[in-house]
Amino acid sequence: PDVFARGTAGYLEPMFAGLSGEVLWRPHDRPFAIGLDVNYVAQRDYDQRFGLQDYRVATGHLSAYYDFGGGYLGQLDVGRYLARDWGATFSLDREFDNGFKVGAFFTLTDVPFDDFGEGSFDKGIRFSIPTDWLTGQPAQGGLGQTIRPVQRDGGARLAIANRLYEQVRADRTTELEDRWGKFWR
């Protein structure tokens, strides 16, 4: 009951196609979880049709998640990125009881600062607004955006939707209790 797995094959995101697998260990009554994702992908053609480029790469990350309480969630990802660089990403997010989320992240890799350019590393902020708040209808999704001051190859990670931690985290007892009041509104 504490181990979850996911496997995906096909067009994984707008720029990459391939194979992806993920395993997550999340003890039920604990604030932490550990995950591993492994991917083998090829870059898609620029016309976004069915063709692929010659660029192929194996990526993967060992991830540690921690729920600090009060809606604060931390995550550390260590591994190989799409530009074949090695490094780590740290992120901290705040999720409010009404579903709004805001967070920040930074990534440091073995790409030399001179090659990476302005800012010397990847960083950004992100936010998400729940659609049920806007429409008045129950929904699990949200409208979100990630803002980066500079978009570079270093520290770029495969953008796979529905990663296991976000899918599994919602079943925590405290999460359900926090949102139970919305039932009566």
Side-chain angles (χ1 to χ4, degrees):
D2 294 339
V3 178
F4 303 86
R6 171 194 58 82
T8 309
Y11 293 97
L12 303 174
E13 65 157 89
M15 292 305 297
F16 288 92
L19 302 171
S20 175
E22 183 179 8
V23 176
L24 176 74
W25 175 64
R26 189 186 79 56
H28 180 66
D29 291 332
R30 304 281 186 230
F32 60 86
I34 297 174
L36 175 68
D37 71 279
V38 178
N39 313 287
Y40 182 75
V41 294
Q43 189 173 21
R44 294 180 61 189
D45 277 339
Y46 299 117
D47 62 10
Q48 298 291 299
R49 294 193 183 163
F50 295 111
L52 299 173
Q53 302 278 335
D54 289 333
Y55 186 79
R56 288 167 174 28
V57 62
T59 71
H61 289 83
L62 180 63
S63 302
Y65 307 90
Y66 195 83
D67 185 344
F68 293 100
Y72 290 95
L73 305 167
Q75 180 175 342
L76 175 66
D77 302 302
V78 178
R80 189 174 191 206
Y81 294 86
L82 288 169
R84 296 187 175 110
D85 50 334
W86 293 85
T89 300
F90 176 77
S91 60
L92 182 65
D93 294 286
R94 170 72 159 99
E95 183 174 0
F96 298 91
D97 287 342
N98 60 7
F100 282 81
K101 297 178 190 176
V102 64
F105 65 91
F106 67 91
T107 301
L108 293 171
T109 71
D110 60 358
V111 173
F113 288 164
D114 293 338
D115 293 343
F116 199 94
E118 178 185 337
S120 302
F121 62 95
D122 189 31
K123 60 204 167 277
I125 59 173
R126 59 183 167 230
F127 64 90
S128 176
I129 300 169
T131 55
D132 61 351
W133 183 79
L134 296 170
T135 64
Q137 301 296 318
Q140 288 187 352
L143 303 171
Q145 185 66 42
T146 298
I147 302 169
R148 287 181 164 92
V150 177
Q151 182 71 39
R152 298 277 195 252
D153 289 338
R157 188 171 177 186
L158 197 61
I160 295 180
N162 301 321
R163 293 202 183 262
L164 286 176
Y165 183 71
E166 286 300 317
Q167 299 298 313
V168 172
R169 189 175 66 82
D171 74 348
R172 290 187 56 123
T173 305
T174 57
E175 298 281 333
L176 293 173
E177 290 171 355
D178 287 346
R179 289 183 173 79
W180 184 252
K182 291 176 85 174
F183 175 79
W184 298 109
R185 289 187 220 161

PDB file of all heavy atoms in Angstrom, residues 80-98:
ATOM      1  N   ARG A  80      20.002  13.391 -13.737  1.00  0.00           N
ATOM      2  CA  ARG A  80      20.452  13.809 -15.063  1.00  0.00           C
ATOM      3  C   ARG A  80      19.316  14.508 -15.793  1.00  0.00           C
ATOM      4  O   ARG A  80      18.188  14.014 -15.848  1.00  0.00           O
ATOM      5  CB  ARG A  80      20.903  12.594 -15.862  1.00  0.00           C
ATOM      6  CG  ARG A  80      21.581  12.951 -17.152  1.00  0.00           C
ATOM      7  CD  ARG A  80      22.122  11.714 -17.814  1.00  0.00           C
ATOM      8  NE  ARG A  80      23.002  12.068 -18.928  1.00  0.00           N
ATOM      9  CZ  ARG A  80      23.217  11.282 -19.944  1.00  0.00           C
ATOM     10  NH1 ARG A  80      22.652  10.094 -20.000  1.00  0.00           N
ATOM     11  NH2 ARG A  80      24.015  11.658 -20.913  1.00  0.00           N
ATOM     12  N   TYR A  81      19.643  15.631 -16.410  1.00  0.00           N
ATOM     13  CA  TYR A  81      18.663  16.454 -17.106  1.00  0.00           C
ATOM     14  C   TYR A  81      18.741  16.215 -18.615  1.00  0.00           C
ATOM     15  O   TYR A  81      19.581  15.454 -19.097  1.00  0.00           O
ATOM     16  CB  TYR A  81      18.896  17.930 -16.761  1.00  0.00           C
ATOM     17  CG  TYR A  81      18.630  18.220 -15.302  1.00  0.00           C
ATOM     18  CD1 TYR A  81      19.616  18.041 -14.344  1.00  0.00           C
ATOM     19  CD2 TYR A  81      17.374  18.632 -14.872  1.00  0.00           C
ATOM     20  CE1 TYR A  81      19.370  18.286 -13.010  1.00  0.00           C
ATOM     21  CE2 TYR A  81      17.114  18.875 -13.540  1.00  0.00           C
ATOM     22  CZ  TYR A  81      18.124  18.701 -12.610  1.00  0.00           C
ATOM     23  OH  TYR A  81      17.864  18.932 -11.284  1.00  0.00           O
ATOM     24  N   LEU A  82      17.883  16.906 -19.365  1.00  0.00           N
ATOM     25  CA  LEU A  82      17.748  16.663 -20.798  1.00  0.00           C
ATOM     26  C   LEU A  82      18.984  17.053 -21.612  1.00  0.00           C
ATOM     27  O   LEU A  82      19.211  16.506 -22.686  1.00  0.00           O
ATOM     28  CB  LEU A  82      16.520  17.391 -21.344  1.00  0.00           C
ATOM     29  CG  LEU A  82      15.178  16.784 -20.942  1.00  0.00           C
ATOM     30  CD1 LEU A  82      14.044  17.713 -21.312  1.00  0.00           C
ATOM     31  CD2 LEU A  82      15.002  15.423 -21.599  1.00  0.00           C
ATOM     32  N   ALA A  83      19.781  17.989 -21.142  1.00  0.00           N
ATOM     33  CA  ALA A  83      20.984  18.400 -21.858  1.00  0.00           C
ATOM     34  C   ALA A  83      22.188  17.545 -21.453  1.00  0.00           C
ATOM     35  O   ALA A  83      23.328  17.938 -21.671  1.00  0.00           O
ATOM     36  CB  ALA A  83      21.280  19.874 -21.609  1.00  0.00           C
ATOM     37  N   ARG A  84      21.923  16.401 -20.850  1.00  0.00           N
ATOM     38  CA  ARG A  84      22.942  15.460 -20.367  1.00  0.00           C
ATOM     39  C   ARG A  84      23.770  16.044 -19.228  1.00  0.00           C
ATOM     40  O   ARG A  84      24.881  15.606 -18.973  1.00  0.00           O
ATOM     41  CB  ARG A  84      23.840  14.988 -21.499  1.00  0.00           C
ATOM     42  CG  ARG A  84      23.112  14.198 -22.559  1.00  0.00           C
ATOM     43  CD  ARG A  84      24.070  13.601 -23.576  1.00  0.00           C
ATOM     44  NE  ARG A  84      23.352  12.759 -24.497  1.00  0.00           N
ATOM     45  CZ  ARG A  84      23.160  13.063 -25.778  1.00  0.00           C
ATOM     46  NH1 ARG A  84      23.657  14.175 -26.273  1.00  0.00           N
ATOM     47  NH2 ARG A  84      22.491  12.247 -26.546  1.00  0.00           N
ATOM     48  N   ASP A  85      23.252  17.058 -18.565  1.00  0.00           N
ATOM     49  CA  ASP A  85      23.932  17.634 -17.423  1.00  0.00           C
ATOM     50  C   ASP A  85      23.431  16.978 -16.141  1.00  0.00           C
ATOM     51  O   ASP A  85      22.313  16.471 -16.079  1.00  0.00           O
ATOM     52  CB  ASP A  85      23.731  19.154 -17.375  1.00  0.00           C
ATOM     53  CG  ASP A  85      22.274  19.579 -17.506  1.00  0.00           C
ATOM     54  OD1 ASP A  85      21.480  18.828 -18.108  1.00  0.00           O
ATOM     55  OD2 ASP A  85      21.931  20.671 -17.027  1.00  0.00           O
ATOM     56  N   TRP A  86      24.275  16.969 -15.122  1.00  0.00           N
ATOM     57  CA  TRP A  86      23.949  16.365 -13.832  1.00  0.00           C
ATOM     58  C   TRP A  86      23.797  17.479 -12.809  1.00  0.00           C
ATOM     59  O   TRP A  86      24.538  18.453 -12.837  1.00  0.00           O
ATOM     60  CB  TRP A  86      25.052  15.413 -13.388  1.00  0.00           C
ATOM     61  CG  TRP A  86      25.172  14.209 -14.258  1.00  0.00           C
ATOM     62  CD1 TRP A  86      25.883  14.108 -15.424  1.00  0.00           C
ATOM     63  CD2 TRP A  86      24.565  12.941 -14.056  1.00  0.00           C
ATOM     64  NE1 TRP A  86      25.749  12.852 -15.964  1.00  0.00           N
ATOM     65  CE2 TRP A  86      24.946  12.109 -15.127  1.00  0.00           C
ATOM     66  CE3 TRP A  86      23.743  12.420 -13.074  1.00  0.00           C
ATOM     67  CZ2 TRP A  86      24.531  10.799 -15.243  1.00  0.00           C
ATOM     68  CZ3 TRP A  86      23.330  11.115 -13.177  1.00  0.00           C
ATOM     69  CH2 TRP A  86      23.716  10.308 -14.260  1.00  0.00           C
ATOM     70  N   GLY A  87      22.826  17.328 -11.902  1.00  0.00           N
ATOM     71  CA  GLY A  87      22.644  18.367 -10.904  1.00  0.00           C
ATOM     72  C   GLY A  87      21.468  18.078  -9.991  1.00  0.00           C
ATOM     73  O   GLY A  87      21.017  16.943  -9.855  1.00  0.00           O
ATOM     74  N   ALA A  88      20.980  19.168  -9.363  1.00  0.00           N
ATOM     75  CA  ALA A  88      19.891  19.047  -8.399  1.00  0.00           C
ATOM     76  C   ALA A  88      18.964  20.250  -8.501  1.00  0.00           C
ATOM     77  O   ALA A  88      19.396  21.362  -8.815  1.00  0.00           O
ATOM     78  CB  ALA A  88      20.446  18.939  -6.990  1.00  0.00           C
ATOM     79  N   THR A  89      17.685  20.001  -8.231  1.00  0.00           N
ATOM     80  CA  THR A  89      16.671  21.053  -8.194  1.00  0.00           C
ATOM     81  C   THR A  89      16.021  21.034  -6.821  1.00  0.00           C
ATOM     82  O   THR A  89      15.610  19.977  -6.330  1.00  0.00           O
ATOM     83  CB  THR A  89      15.580  20.819  -9.257  1.00  0.00           C
ATOM     84  OG1 THR A  89      16.182  20.800 -10.541  1.00  0.00           O
ATOM     85  CG2 THR A  89      14.518  21.901  -9.209  1.00  0.00           C
ATOM     86  N   PHE A  90      15.941  22.196  -6.206  1.00  0.00           N
ATOM     87  CA  PHE A  90      15.233  22.334  -4.931  1.00  0.00           C
ATOM     88  C   PHE A  90      14.026  23.212  -5.165  1.00  0.00           C
ATOM     89  O   PHE A  90      14.114  24.258  -5.817  1.00  0.00           O
ATOM     90  CB  PHE A  90      16.123  22.967  -3.859  1.00  0.00           C
ATOM     91  CG  PHE A  90      15.377  23.206  -2.578  1.00  0.00           C
ATOM     92  CD1 PHE A  90      15.103  22.160  -1.721  1.00  0.00           C
ATOM     93  CD2 PHE A  90      14.910  24.467  -2.271  1.00  0.00           C
ATOM     94  CE1 PHE A  90      14.379  22.377  -0.553  1.00  0.00           C
ATOM     95  CE2 PHE A  90      14.187  24.691  -1.110  1.00  0.00           C
ATOM     96  CZ  PHE A  90      13.924  23.642  -0.250  1.00  0.00           C
ATOM     97  N   SER A  91      12.866  22.793  -4.647  1.00  0.00           N
ATOM     98  CA  SER A  91      11.662  23.606  -4.780  1.00  0.00           C
ATOM     99  C   SER A  91      10.911  23.650  -3.459  1.00  0.00           C
ATOM    100  O   SER A  91      10.947  22.704  -2.670  1.00  0.00           O
ATOM    101  CB  SER A  91      10.762  23.084  -5.900  1.00  0.00           C
ATOM    102  OG  SER A  91      10.361  21.766  -5.637  1.00  0.00           O
ATOM    103  N   LEU A  92      10.246  24.761  -3.245  1.00  0.00           N
ATOM    104  CA  LEU A  92       9.411  24.958  -2.066  1.00  0.00           C
ATOM    105  C   LEU A  92       8.101  25.558  -2.540  1.00  0.00           C
ATOM    106  O   LEU A  92       8.097  26.569  -3.254  1.00  0.00           O
ATOM    107  CB  LEU A  92      10.090  25.878  -1.056  1.00  0.00           C
ATOM    108  CG  LEU A  92       9.330  26.108   0.244  1.00  0.00           C
ATOM    109  CD1 LEU A  92       9.203  24.804   1.038  1.00  0.00           C
ATOM    110  CD2 LEU A  92      10.015  27.164   1.084  1.00  0.00           C
ATOM    111  N   ASP A  93       6.995  24.920  -2.179  1.00  0.00           N
ATOM    112  CA  ASP A  93       5.670  25.370  -2.598  1.00  0.00           C
ATOM    113  C   ASP A  93       4.788  25.580  -1.385  1.00  0.00           C
ATOM    114  O   ASP A  93       4.954  24.926  -0.360  1.00  0.00           O
ATOM    115  CB  ASP A  93       5.016  24.324  -3.517  1.00  0.00           C
ATOM    116  CG  ASP A  93       5.748  24.175  -4.821  1.00  0.00           C
ATOM    117  OD1 ASP A  93       5.625  25.076  -5.655  1.00  0.00           O
ATOM    118  OD2 ASP A  93       6.449  23.166  -4.999  1.00  0.00           O
ATOM    119  N   ARG A  94       3.825  26.486  -1.547  1.00  0.00           N
ATOM    120  CA  ARG A  94       2.814  26.709  -0.515  1.00  0.00           C
ATOM    121  C   ARG A  94       1.468  26.466  -1.163  1.00  0.00           C
ATOM    122  O   ARG A  94       1.131  27.080  -2.182  1.00  0.00           O
ATOM    123  CB  ARG A  94       2.911  28.142   0.010  1.00  0.00           C
ATOM    124  CG  ARG A  94       1.780  28.582   0.920  1.00  0.00           C
ATOM    125  CD  ARG A  94       1.854  27.914   2.282  1.00  0.00           C
ATOM    126  NE  ARG A  94       1.129  28.644   3.289  1.00  0.00           N
ATOM    127  CZ  ARG A  94      -0.099  28.335   3.711  1.00  0.00           C
ATOM    128  NH1 ARG A  94      -0.724  27.298   3.194  1.00  0.00           N
ATOM    129  NH2 ARG A  94      -0.684  29.032   4.650  1.00  0.00           N
ATOM    130  N   GLU A  95       0.715  25.515  -0.606  1.00  0.00           N
ATOM    131  CA  GLU A  95      -0.622  25.218  -1.111  1.00  0.00           C
ATOM    132  C   GLU A  95      -1.631  25.631  -0.051  1.00  0.00           C
ATOM    133  O   GLU A  95      -1.556  25.205   1.097  1.00  0.00           O
ATOM    134  CB  GLU A  95      -0.778  23.740  -1.426  1.00  0.00           C
ATOM    135  CG  GLU A  95      -2.124  23.400  -2.008  1.00  0.00           C
ATOM    136  CD  GLU A  95      -2.242  21.960  -2.449  1.00  0.00           C
ATOM    137  OE1 GLU A  95      -1.266  21.206  -2.295  1.00  0.00           O
ATOM    138  OE2 GLU A  95      -3.315  21.593  -2.939  1.00  0.00           O
ATOM    139  N   PHE A  96      -2.573  26.478  -0.452  1.00  0.00           N
ATOM    140  CA  PHE A  96      -3.587  26.964   0.464  1.00  0.00           C
ATOM    141  C   PHE A  96      -4.787  26.026   0.463  1.00  0.00           C
ATOM    142  O   PHE A  96      -4.994  25.262  -0.478  1.00  0.00           O
ATOM    143  CB  PHE A  96      -4.003  28.385   0.067  1.00  0.00           C
ATOM    144  CG  PHE A  96      -2.861  29.366   0.148  1.00  0.00           C
ATOM    145  CD1 PHE A  96      -2.063  29.611  -0.957  1.00  0.00           C
ATOM    146  CD2 PHE A  96      -2.577  30.027   1.327  1.00  0.00           C
ATOM    147  CE1 PHE A  96      -1.006  30.491  -0.887  1.00  0.00           C
ATOM    148  CE2 PHE A  96      -1.522  30.917   1.418  1.00  0.00           C
ATOM    149  CZ  PHE A  96      -0.729  31.147   0.304  1.00  0.00           C
ATOM    150  N   ASP A  97      -5.587  26.077   1.525  1.00  0.00           N
ATOM    151  CA  ASP A  97      -6.736  25.176   1.649  1.00  0.00           C
ATOM    152  C   ASP A  97      -7.741  25.345   0.516  1.00  0.00           C
ATOM    153  O   ASP A  97      -8.464  24.406   0.189  1.00  0.00           O
ATOM    154  CB  ASP A  97      -7.441  25.391   2.992  1.00  0.00           C
ATOM    155  CG  ASP A  97      -6.642  24.836   4.152  1.00  0.00           C
ATOM    156  OD1 ASP A  97      -5.750  23.999   3.906  1.00  0.00           O
ATOM    157  OD2 ASP A  97      -6.908  25.240   5.304  1.00  0.00           O
ATOM    158  N   ASN A  98      -7.797  26.520  -0.084  1.00  0.00           N
ATOM    159  CA  ASN A  98      -8.740  26.740  -1.187  1.00  0.00           C
ATOM    160  C   ASN A  98      -8.210  26.234  -2.527  1.00  0.00           C
ATOM    161  O   ASN A  98      -8.864  26.371  -3.546  1.00  0.00           O
ATOM    162  CB  ASN A  98      -9.117  28.214  -1.281  1.00  0.00           C
ATOM    163  CG  ASN A  98      -7.925  29.113  -1.519  1.00  0.00           C
ATOM    164  OD1 ASN A  98      -6.811  28.653  -1.751  1.00  0.00           O
ATOM    165  ND2 ASN A  98      -8.161  30.408  -1.446  1.00  0.00           N
TER     166      ASN A  98
END
